[in-house]
Amino acid sequence: MKNRIFEEWLATFRDSINGYEYYTDFNKVTNNVERLRSEIELLNPLVGSKNIERDFENILVEHPECLKAIPRLLGVRQCEIFCNGINYNFDTPNQSVEQYKYFMRETGLFDFLQNHIIGGNLFGYLAGVETGLDSNARKNRGGKQMENLVEKFLIDAGVAYRDQMKLEKVEKTYGLDLSAISAAGITTKRFDFVVKTPSKVFGIETNFYASGGSKLNETARSYKTIALESRGIDGFEFVWITDGKGWRDARHNLEETFLVLPTLYNIRDMENGIFLELFNE
């Protein structure tokens, strides 16, 4: 991969690597809803109730376990909610019935259940809440997609690797001194993948940025620093695999790293067999 031209390389960056599974994990949504089915069924009579506070009190006294579903109706996963200095536990009740009624009234849940649930189906509403909550996990799924993609190319190339390996574990396993990267042990570092060949150890970082932002400039500067610091480490080489149209707005910082890190690659490079070239020297 010699004599590469940055602008030509950048032009091959992808707009997206999202697969069909990226948008919503419906298996997770269904499982989360099913876990609360009995509690939701207990609360379902509150939908459209003419005397919702009385009905809620009757349900709560007889079935305190119905509280477990309350945070989820608010789009909250935690079983404890703090409001105005009061700790409400919805897994193990720690407040009076009146206090929980106050919570339902002040958060607007009573009004919502009584007047605004369409179709009278609380179970269907919860499925919608879970779908919304799952969308928050897309960022993590997006990051994982790039790792999965890199891992696929490693496997296809027949490369033995280890994943999510902390810097200190790399040092102990392969007898390396990586203090130049870790600021003499002060900085904690974890490589997405580590590959050991007969001649050296490769520490690999991966990411994909579909949109811009300050994070990209910070990442480029950070990896440029690692590239420079690792140059003098015998038997070790740093590899960065990145892609995504977000880099088009942060090209200058990326180019600075490109100029000092010859082992900076993108998806096109992997498709062109860079792993076969890199790990068989």
Side-chain angles (χ1 to χ4, degrees):
M1 299 293 293
K2 297 180 180 179
N3 301 319
R4 296 189 299 169
I5 299 174
F6 176 75
E7 289 297 335
E8 292 180 357
W9 179 70
L10 183 65
T12 66
F13 276 35
R14 312 293 169 88
D15 288 351
S16 172
I17 55 171
N18 294 339
Y20 294 109
E21 72 287 350
Y22 167 77
Y23 296 96
T24 299
D25 185 345
F26 283 110
N27 287 330
K28 178 182 174 183
V29 168
T30 300
N31 290 335
N32 286 342
V33 174
E34 285 295 333
R35 289 193 191 99
L36 289 171
R37 177 177 284 276
S38 60
E39 290 83 0
I40 286 297
E41 289 179 347
L42 288 171
L43 293 175
N44 211 50
L46 298 180
V47 177
S49 169
K50 300 300 182 183
N51 195 334
I52 194 168
E53 295 203 21
R54 181 200 63 197
D55 291 344
F56 175 70
E57 180 173 343
N58 291 338
I59 294 170
L60 182 54
V61 169
E62 188 173 354
H63 299 286
E65 67 272 18
C66 73
L67 287 174
K68 294 179 181 180
I70 300 300
R72 205 61 60 87
L73 295 179
L74 292 170
V76 176
R77 292 207 184 278
Q78 295 88 347
C79 66
E80 287 186 286
I81 295 179
F82 291 83
C83 283
N84 293 336
I86 300 174
N87 173 24
Y88 293 90
N89 193 311
F90 293 90
D91 189 43
T92 304
N94 65 339
Q95 301 292 340
S96 66
V97 171
E98 288 300 318
Q99 192 64 54
Y100 281 113
K101 285 167 62 177
Y102 182 79
F103 177 90
M104 297 286 285
R105 187 184 312 123
E106 292 301 306
T107 57
L109 268 176
F110 274 153
D111 176 66
F112 184 73
L113 295 172
Q114 188 174 38
N115 301 307
H116 302 287
I117 293 289
I118 299 174
N121 186 351
L122 198 54
F123 193 81
Y125 166 75
L126 183 60
V129 171
E130 283 293 339
T131 300
L133 287 173
D134 185 71
S135 69
N136 295 329
R138 287 177 189 163
K139 181 178 180 180
N140 292 333
R141 284 199 291 269
K144 190 64 178 175
Q145 281 188 123
M146 187 61 172
E147 289 182 31
N148 290 342
L149 186 61
V150 172
E151 186 171 31
K152 175 183 179 298
F153 280 104
L154 287 170
I155 293 171
D156 290 346
V159 177
Y161 63 89
R162 301 180 71 170
D163 64 350
Q164 299 303 318
M165 201 170 183
K166 290 184 177 180
L167 187 145
E168 56 265 30
K169 183 69 178 292
V170 176
E171 290 182 310
K172 292 178 182 178
T173 302
Y174 302 112
L176 294 171
D177 179 6
L178 302 181
S179 57
I181 298 176
S182 65
I186 296 175
T187 303
T188 300
K189 179 69 182 169
R190 184 195 302 268
F191 294 107
D192 292 327
F193 300 98
V194 173
V195 172
K196 173 70 172 69
T197 70
S199 60
K200 65 179 67 173
V201 174
F202 296 85
I204 305 172
E205 286 288 343
T206 71
N207 41 50
F208 185 95
Y209 294 103
S211 58
S214 59
K215 171 73 172 176
L216 284 77
N217 291 325
E218 294 171 9
T219 299
R221 285 192 292 266
S222 173
Y223 289 171
K224 177 184 177 182
T225 299
I226 294 176
L228 295 172
E229 292 173 341
S230 63
R231 280 182 173 178
I233 302 176
D234 188 41
F236 177 82
E237 189 154 4
F238 176 61
V239 178
W240 180 21
I241 303 168
T242 192
D243 211 306
K245 65 179 181 180
W247 283 115
R248 295 168 191 166
D249 293 328
R251 65 181 65 208
H252 298 301
N253 281 285
L254 182 63
E255 185 173 14
E256 288 182 9
T257 308
F258 178 87
L259 294 173
V260 301
L261 181 60
T263 51
L264 170 56
Y265 306 116
N266 65 6
I267 294 173
R268 176 68 63 85
D269 295 325
M270 291 192 293
E271 292 175 340
N272 289 338
I274 189 59
F275 287 163
L276 292 174
E277 176 183 332
L278 185 64
F279 302 130
N280 287 286
E281 293 182 344

